[in-house]
Every structure is written in structure tokens, then in C-alpha cells.
Amino acid sequence: MMNGSSPIGVIGFGVMGSSMALNLAKSGLPVLGYSRTASKVTALEHSGITLSSPDEIAQLCGVVLLSVSDGPAVQEILFGAYGIAPKLARGALIIDTTTNAPSEALSFATKCSELGLDLLDAPVTGGDVGARNATLTIMCGGPEETFQRALPFLNRIGKRVVLMGPSGSGQMMKAVNQVAVGLSIVAMTEALLLAERRGLNSAQVLEILQGGAAGSWALSNYAPRLMSGDLKPGFDAAHMLKDLKIALKEAAGHCSLPGTETTTELFEQLVTLHKGVGNHALIKAYKN
Amino acid sequence: MMNGSSPIGVIGFGVMGSSMALNLAKSGLPVLGYSRTASKVTALEHSGITLSSPDEIAQLCGVVLLSVSDGPAVQEILFGAYGIAPKLARGALIIDTTTNAPSEALSFATKCSELGLDLLDAPVTGGDVGARNATLTIMCGGPEETFQRALPFLNRIGKRVVLMGPSGSGQMMKAVNQVAVGLSIVAMTEALLLAERRGLNSAQVLEILQGGAAGSWALSNYAPRLMSGDLKPGFDAAHMLKDLKIALKEAAGHCSLPGTETTTELFEQLVTLHKGVGNHALIKAYKN
């Protein structure tokens, strides 16, 4: 079941999971997919992805990739209502691309290990564009051997795949990454807001900001969407809030992150006011 | 005196002014230079820059470029102790690359206009590297005609030269830019601090942050300096603090910028604790 032609299971077909499943299928792997919303999988059947169930995936797949919303969702799939972990064959590999707390990742890996399973925490960055183009950065935590097993699969969905350290380290790196992303969005937002309120030309402002020491991925990728009025995720603001809260929890007792605290409060306001918007819509929290 | 071979005056030979003077000289213009520290000018005499005085510059130059520390320093040079404005020939052009408050820039331009002089506010971004390589972005405020007069000179020191609007608009754009730069540095700092305190490998962390949605000019240019222990400016942290205070003052009554407020407090702490460090040394404010 662990050879090249055995199917890989994918659970979770959001923006990121769908693109990762498509790239795995495009590379020639049979993919069994499961989403609570079956239509998200059946919409991709022409691309070689077959609608399945958690039980069938547990039975047929030696490798399962998870892309769900958060730690509790992973818990439910592995050990809760769905409970695929005890049903998987010993030696199966679980690649969890979900962003969880490092402590959750460590706990999942430990419980899997007790069942004879390998689990790699492998959260990603690079956004919807990176997921579509298989150019994601994938931050891994787990034993070297588990990383090496996962690498042939991760190389089909990402461009930069790095082992950061033991289980949980991938999630810690993701928390660090989200601190920088969140604050980059605040940088973009406050600059554009001040410019707008003081009557500068937005297109000129953006060109100048991008060309100098203020330049960032956020400015180049998010600001044009924002300025065209497109607030759709991209990356959901509610997920950003979740990730920032993980980062603050991991910082507690180790360092004070006042900028991240301010950023978290701003995303809290955004998420309270607006549902289903991307993280680049933060300016809405300033304009309430 | 206003033809191609008349000398251009440069007042202020800090990191930025020295490089701008050198690039003007390299392009074939005779440059008369003045700094309170004469050695900063004489060190460049082999490059075709001649040590001069404010009075001589006022007497011989149709175009004067200022690169000093702040608005009060510009006030002193133009109308105070040095008082070159009343001594310049009517029709002379003053290009002020200093970062001042927009209200100061407008006041300087108005007073110059009363003396028959043109003043363009033309603050820059792109750092020491941009100044050296003549790749600065230059944000201009003033009448279109004044901008067109200054353009042949600005094109010798910068790559992107943009007229943002009437007098003060260049400074407003600079304030907007510094909001984004300051917060980008907070983004870099808090991400690297959390990573360090939680035991991740700094080189791996930097590679990942740069490659994804967290990527920024600050990460690419400042983080390597910081990680190598080089805290020298670049751009002086005290100037960043001054610029952020200008931005907050310009925001007052127009919008609330909580991230910029936090950033300003952090730079205030840095500047109180450490003199003469670059703005990329902000992590020192977290580690006191």
C-alpha cells in the first residue's frame, strides 16, 4: 500500500487543500479526497481526484495529507468523531499541513507514534497563489526519517520544504511567520490609510512604497487586491487571528511582542465586524 | 549662473548627503559642499567636490541641495544663523531632501517664494545603498514647474522621482513611507525574537520568512546586518523616531494608527537606550 501507485488521502478541501490535492493529482498520484462539503471534492473529479470517506481513506491510504481549519479539527479527524488514526495501517504517514499550536502538533505526533504511525507537522505559507502554483514554503517538524518519507509528496506541492526540528517545530516556524505577515499587513494598512486620509494618490503611493525600504510581499500582492475592492480571501482573516493567538501564546513567558499584540487586537476587531474576508481587508477594522 | 556649468551647492554631508553629492559630482557637475564638519567634505575633494561656505554657496550657486537632520536645521540654514535664502539670487532653486514635517515644508516654500526662490520638498527613500547607487526614490512636493527644474538634478541621484502634489506632499508621502518602514522593522524584529527565544535556527527562519508572504525589503536588507551583529546605521534609529512622530502628528484628527503608535514607543525606547544605532537594531529595545 505504500508504493508509488497506492492512493494518497487528502482531507480538507478549502482554498489550500483543493490546490494541494490538484497538484498531487497532476503529478500522477491517485488521490482520494474527503471534505464535509462533498461538492468541493466532486468538483475536482475531472482532475483525477476521487470522492472518498475518512474510513475508506484510512483503509486504502498509506499516506494522508490533512488541510483543515485548526487543531480541534485535526483532533476530531485523527482521534475523535472521524478517528482515522486507529484505523490506519501501522507505518502509515500523516502529513498535517493545518496550522495548529506547536503543543497540539507535538501531542498529535506522540499519540500517532503510540499507534505506530508517523506524523509530520507541515504548515505552509505562500497563500492561495503558492498553493495553486505548487510554490508553497513548507515548514516541517518531526524526526528526520519522517521528513524524508514525506519529502517526495511535499515536493509536489511546494518549492521550499524545510525541516525545522522535532515535532512542533514546523508549527513554531509558522507562528513566527504569521507574526511577520500580520505586522506586514498592519504596515500596508496604516500607510495606505494615512495616505488616503491626507489626499495622496493611491497608485503613486503604492508604486513608491513598493520601490523602497517599505517594500513587502503584502504590498505587492495584497494592496492591489485591496485597492480594487476585492476583499475575498486569499487567506481568511479569521485564520490569521487564530494564528496570531497561537504566536502570542508561544511568546508568553519568553518575550513580549507589543506589535503582535496590537495586530491581534486589530484582527479581532476585523473578524468581529466582517465575516469571510481576507486578511488583507484589515483596513475595515480602522474604518468602523 | 543657472546654466549647465554653474556649480550646485550641497549642504549636509551625512550618510545620504555625501552619496548624493558624490553622484552629482560623478555626473560632471561642479559641486560646492558645506558641512559643519569640514572633514566630511574635504574627504571627498578627490571626487570633484570643493569645500565651501554657506555664504559662498548662496553667492555662486543657482541650485542648492539640502540634506540635513530635520526641519529646525533647514530653518537655520535658510532663514536663521546661516540664512542663505535672502542671499541667493532671485530665481534660485532649493531642493530639500531632508525629512521634515509637511507643514514645515509648506512654510519653507512659502517664505522662499516671497524671496523669489523656488523650493521643492524632495525627501528620499532607499537607504544608504540607494544613495550610493543613485537608485533612491524621491518624493516631491511643489509646483509642476519647480519639479521640472529640479528633475535633471534629481535624476542623477535617484531612480524613481515622483511629484506627489503641492508643497508638503513629498513630506506627506515620506511620512506614509516611514509608517510602512517602521512597522516592517517591527515585523522583522518580533518574528526573529520569537524564533530565537523558541530555539529555531535563525538562518533557516530568515530563508523561510523571505520566501513567503512575510517577505520584505527589511527582512532582505536589515535582517542579515542584524544577525551579523552590525548595528551601525544605515538609517539612524533617532531619525526613524523623528519621522514616526511626524507621521503620528499628520494622522491626528484624520485616522488612528495603533500599530504606528506601538512602533513609535519601541523606537523611543531604543533611542533612549542606544545612541548611534541603525533603525534595524530595534530588537535592542525588546532585550533591555
Side-chain angles (χ1 to χ4, degrees):
Chain A
M1 279 218 300
M2 318 266 307
N3 62 48
S5 63
S6 86
I8 179 167
V10 175
I11 297 179
F13 279 73
V15 171
M16 303 302 282
S18 296
S19 289
M20 291 192 276
L22 276 171
N23 284 320
L24 289 168
K26 267 190 214 161
S27 77
L29 287 176
V31 175
L32 297 185
Y34 174 73
S35 161
R36 275 178 303 187
T37 312
S39 61
K40 291 188 179 175
V41 183
T42 52
L44 305 176
E45 279 186 331
H46 62 282
S47 306
I49 298 169
T50 308
L51 179 63
S52 183
S53 67
D55 271 5
E56 192 183 44
I57 287 173
Q59 204 185 330
L60 297 180
C61 298
V63 179
V64 181
L65 183 140
L66 307 183
S67 174
V68 295
S69 55
D70 55 16
V74 174
Q75 167 69 28
E76 191 184 20
I77 288 162
L78 293 181
F79 309 106
Y82 297 98
I84 67 166
K87 298 172 191 163
L88 280 161
R90 284 183 72 88
L93 169 66
I94 300 162
I95 300 171
D96 184 13
T97 70
T98 312
T99 298
N100 310 317
S103 58
E104 290 172 313
L106 180 57
S107 149
F108 297 147
T110 305
K111 285 199 245 174
C112 281
S113 177
E114 289 164 3
L115 296 168
L117 308 171
D118 290 337
L119 184 142
L120 189 77
D121 52 294
V124 304
T125 182
D128 51 344
V129 179
R132 250 195 323 276
N133 301 336
T135 56
L136 292 168
T137 294
I138 310 179
M139 300 155 271
C140 303
E144 173 73 35
E145 191 188 273
T146 303
F147 176 70
Q148 292 299 340
R149 281 188 68 192
L151 204 49
F153 302 97
L154 296 176
N155 281 335
R156 296 166 200 238
I157 60 175
K159 194 176 63 175
R160 189 182 280 104
V161 185
V162 186
L163 179 62
M164 298 303 302
S167 291
S169 302
Q171 298 295 352
M172 186 64 75
M173 179 65 231
K174 180 66 189 276
V176 165
N177 188 75
Q178 297 304 77
V179 161
V181 173
L183 274 155
S184 286
I185 293 173
V186 174
M188 168 186 90
T189 303
E190 297 202 359
L192 294 179
L193 181 65
L194 177 60
E196 181 188 315
R197 290 287 161 86
R198 298 308 308 267
L200 298 179
N201 175 295
S202 298
Q204 278 186 323
V205 169
L206 184 56
E207 190 205 337
I208 288 172
L209 292 176
Q210 282 176 312
S216 70
W217 189 97
L219 271 170
S220 300
N221 291 272
Y222 286 145
R225 293 192 203 180
L226 175 64
M227 285 163 56
S228 75
D230 174 9
L231 302 184
K232 290 192 304 292
F235 186 77
D236 196 299
H239 292 164
M240 178 56 77
L241 177 59
K242 176 199 72 162
D243 296 356
L244 289 168
K245 286 180 173 173
I246 290 173
L248 286 179
K249 206 169 154 206
E250 294 302 321
H254 298 275
C255 52
S256 162
L257 302 178
T260 306
E261 284 165 23
T262 302
T263 304
T264 306
E265 285 162 24
L266 289 162
F267 275 101
E268 189 93 56
Q269 287 169 37
L270 175 63
V271 167
T272 305
L273 292 164
H274 300 274
K275 304 296 173 200
V277 296
N279 58 356
H280 63 293
L282 188 62
I283 201 165
K284 293 284 178 193
Y286 292 76
K287 291 185 170 177
N288 67 54
Chain B
M1 279 222 294
M2 318 267 307
N3 61 48
S5 64
S6 86
I8 179 167
V10 174
I11 297 179
F13 279 72
V15 172
M16 303 301 284
S18 295
S19 288
M20 291 192 275
L22 276 172
N23 283 320
L24 290 167
K26 268 190 214 163
S27 77
L29 287 175
V31 175
L32 297 184
Y34 174 74
S35 162
R36 276 176 304 186
T37 312
S39 60
K40 290 189 180 176
V41 183
T42 52
L44 305 177
E45 279 186 331
H46 63 281
S47 307
I49 298 169
T50 308
L51 179 63
S52 182
S53 67
D55 271 6
E56 191 183 45
I57 286 172
Q59 206 185 327
L60 298 180
C61 298
V63 179
V64 181
L65 184 138
L66 308 183
S67 174
V68 295
S69 56
D70 55 16
V74 175
Q75 167 69 25
E76 190 183 21
I77 288 162
L78 293 181
F79 309 106
Y82 296 97
I84 68 166
K87 300 171 190 162
L88 279 160
R90 284 183 70 88
L93 169 65
I94 299 162
I95 300 171
D96 184 14
T97 69
T98 312
T99 298
N100 310 317
S103 59
E104 290 173 313
L106 180 57
S107 149
F108 298 147
T110 305
K111 286 199 245 174
C112 280
S113 178
E114 289 162 3
L115 296 167
L117 308 171
D118 290 336
L119 183 141
L120 189 75
D121 51 296
V124 304
T125 182
D128 52 345
V129 179
R132 251 195 324 275
N133 301 337
T135 56
L136 292 169
T137 294
I138 310 179
M139 300 154 272
C140 303
E144 173 73 34
E145 193 187 272
T146 304
F147 176 70
Q148 291 299 337
R149 282 188 69 192
L151 203 48
F153 302 96
L154 296 177
N155 282 335
R156 296 166 201 239
I157 60 173
K159 194 176 62 175
R160 189 182 280 106
V161 185
V162 185
L163 180 61
M164 298 303 302
S167 291
S169 302
Q171 299 294 353
M172 186 63 75
M173 180 64 232
K174 180 67 189 274
V176 165
N177 189 73
Q178 297 304 76
V179 161
V181 174
L183 275 156
S184 285
I185 293 172
V186 174
M188 169 186 89
T189 304
E190 297 202 356
L192 294 179
L193 181 64
L194 178 59
E196 181 188 314
R197 290 288 161 85
R198 298 308 307 268
L200 297 178
N201 175 293
S202 299
Q204 279 187 323
V205 168
L206 183 57
E207 189 205 337
I208 288 173
L209 291 176
Q210 283 176 312
S216 70
W217 189 97
L219 270 171
S220 300
N221 290 271
Y222 286 145
R225 292 193 203 181
L226 176 63
M227 285 163 55
S228 76
D230 174 10
L231 302 183
K232 291 193 303 289
F235 187 77
D236 197 300
H239 292 163
M240 178 56 76
L241 176 59
K242 175 198 71 161
D243 296 356
L244 289 169
K245 285 180 174 172
I246 290 173
L248 285 179
K249 205 169 156 205
E250 294 302 322
H254 297 276
C255 52
S256 163
L257 302 179
T260 306
E261 284 165 24
T262 301
T263 303
T264 306
E265 285 163 24
L266 288 162
F267 275 101
E268 189 93 58
Q269 288 170 35
L270 174 63
V271 168
T272 306
L273 293 165
H274 300 274
K275 304 295 174 203
V277 295
N279 59 356
H280 63 293
L282 188 61
I283 201 165
K284 293 283 178 194
Y286 291 75
K287 290 185 170 179
N288 68 53

